[in-house]
Short mmCIF file of all heavy atoms in Angstrom, two decimals:
data_model
loop_
_atom_site.label_atom_id
_atom_site.label_comp_id
_atom_site.label_asym_id
_atom_site.label_seq_id
_atom_site.Cartn_x
_atom_site.Cartn_y
_atom_site.Cartn_z
N PRO A 84 15.84 -23.94 -28.04
CA PRO A 84 14.45 -23.49 -28.17
C PRO A 84 14.31 -21.99 -27.91
O PRO A 84 15.05 -21.41 -27.12
CB PRO A 84 13.72 -24.30 -27.09
CG PRO A 84 14.77 -24.56 -26.06
CD PRO A 84 16.06 -24.70 -26.82
N SER A 85 13.35 -21.38 -28.57
CA SER A 85 13.09 -19.96 -28.31
C SER A 85 12.25 -19.80 -27.05
O SER A 85 12.35 -18.79 -26.37
CB SER A 85 12.41 -19.29 -29.51
OG SER A 85 11.23 -19.96 -29.83
N GLN A 86 11.43 -20.82 -26.73
CA GLN A 86 10.67 -20.84 -25.49
C GLN A 86 10.77 -22.22 -24.86
O GLN A 86 10.03 -23.12 -25.22
CB GLN A 86 9.20 -20.51 -25.76
CG GLN A 86 8.95 -19.04 -25.96
CD GLN A 86 7.48 -18.74 -25.74
OE1 GLN A 86 6.64 -19.28 -26.43
NE2 GLN A 86 7.20 -17.90 -24.77
N PRO A 87 11.71 -22.39 -23.94
CA PRO A 87 11.87 -23.71 -23.31
C PRO A 87 10.63 -24.10 -22.50
O PRO A 87 9.98 -23.25 -21.92
CB PRO A 87 13.08 -23.52 -22.38
CG PRO A 87 13.53 -22.12 -22.52
CD PRO A 87 12.62 -21.40 -23.43
N SER A 88 10.33 -25.39 -22.50
CA SER A 88 9.18 -25.85 -21.73
C SER A 88 9.63 -26.20 -20.31
O SER A 88 10.82 -26.41 -20.05
CB SER A 88 8.55 -27.08 -22.39
OG SER A 88 9.42 -28.16 -22.31
N LEU A 89 8.68 -26.26 -19.42
CA LEU A 89 8.99 -26.52 -18.01
C LEU A 89 9.46 -27.96 -17.77
O LEU A 89 10.18 -28.22 -16.82
CB LEU A 89 7.76 -26.24 -17.14
CG LEU A 89 7.32 -24.77 -17.11
CD1 LEU A 89 6.04 -24.63 -16.30
CD2 LEU A 89 8.42 -23.90 -16.53
N ASP A 90 9.07 -28.89 -18.64
CA ASP A 90 9.45 -30.29 -18.44
C ASP A 90 10.80 -30.64 -19.08
O ASP A 90 11.22 -31.78 -19.09
CB ASP A 90 8.36 -31.24 -18.95
CG ASP A 90 8.17 -31.18 -20.45
OD1 ASP A 90 8.88 -30.41 -21.14
OD2 ASP A 90 7.31 -31.92 -20.96
N GLY A 91 11.51 -29.64 -19.64
CA GLY A 91 12.83 -29.88 -20.22
C GLY A 91 12.82 -30.30 -21.67
O GLY A 91 13.88 -30.51 -22.26
N ASN A 92 11.65 -30.43 -22.27
CA ASN A 92 11.55 -30.80 -23.67
C ASN A 92 11.85 -29.56 -24.53
O ASN A 92 11.31 -28.49 -24.28
CB ASN A 92 10.13 -31.32 -23.97
CG ASN A 92 9.99 -31.86 -25.37
OD1 ASN A 92 10.34 -31.20 -26.33
ND2 ASN A 92 9.45 -33.05 -25.47
N THR A 93 12.72 -29.72 -25.53
CA THR A 93 13.10 -28.57 -26.36
C THR A 93 12.46 -28.60 -27.75
O THR A 93 12.83 -27.81 -28.61
CB THR A 93 14.63 -28.49 -26.52
OG1 THR A 93 15.10 -29.66 -27.19
CG2 THR A 93 15.32 -28.33 -25.18
N VAL A 94 11.51 -29.51 -27.95
CA VAL A 94 10.83 -29.59 -29.25
C VAL A 94 9.80 -28.47 -29.35
O VAL A 94 8.94 -28.32 -28.49
CB VAL A 94 10.13 -30.95 -29.43
CG1 VAL A 94 9.34 -30.98 -30.73
CG2 VAL A 94 11.13 -32.08 -29.40
N GLU A 95 9.92 -27.69 -30.41
CA GLU A 95 8.91 -26.68 -30.74
C GLU A 95 8.24 -27.18 -32.02
O GLU A 95 8.85 -27.18 -33.09
CB GLU A 95 9.55 -25.31 -30.92
CG GLU A 95 10.13 -24.79 -29.64
CD GLU A 95 10.89 -23.49 -29.79
OE1 GLU A 95 11.56 -23.29 -30.81
OE2 GLU A 95 10.79 -22.67 -28.86
#
Side-chain angles (χ1 to χ4, degrees):
S85 56
Q86 282 199 300
S88 67
L89 295 176
D90 66 0
N92 186 309
T93 63
V94 176
E95 294 175 324

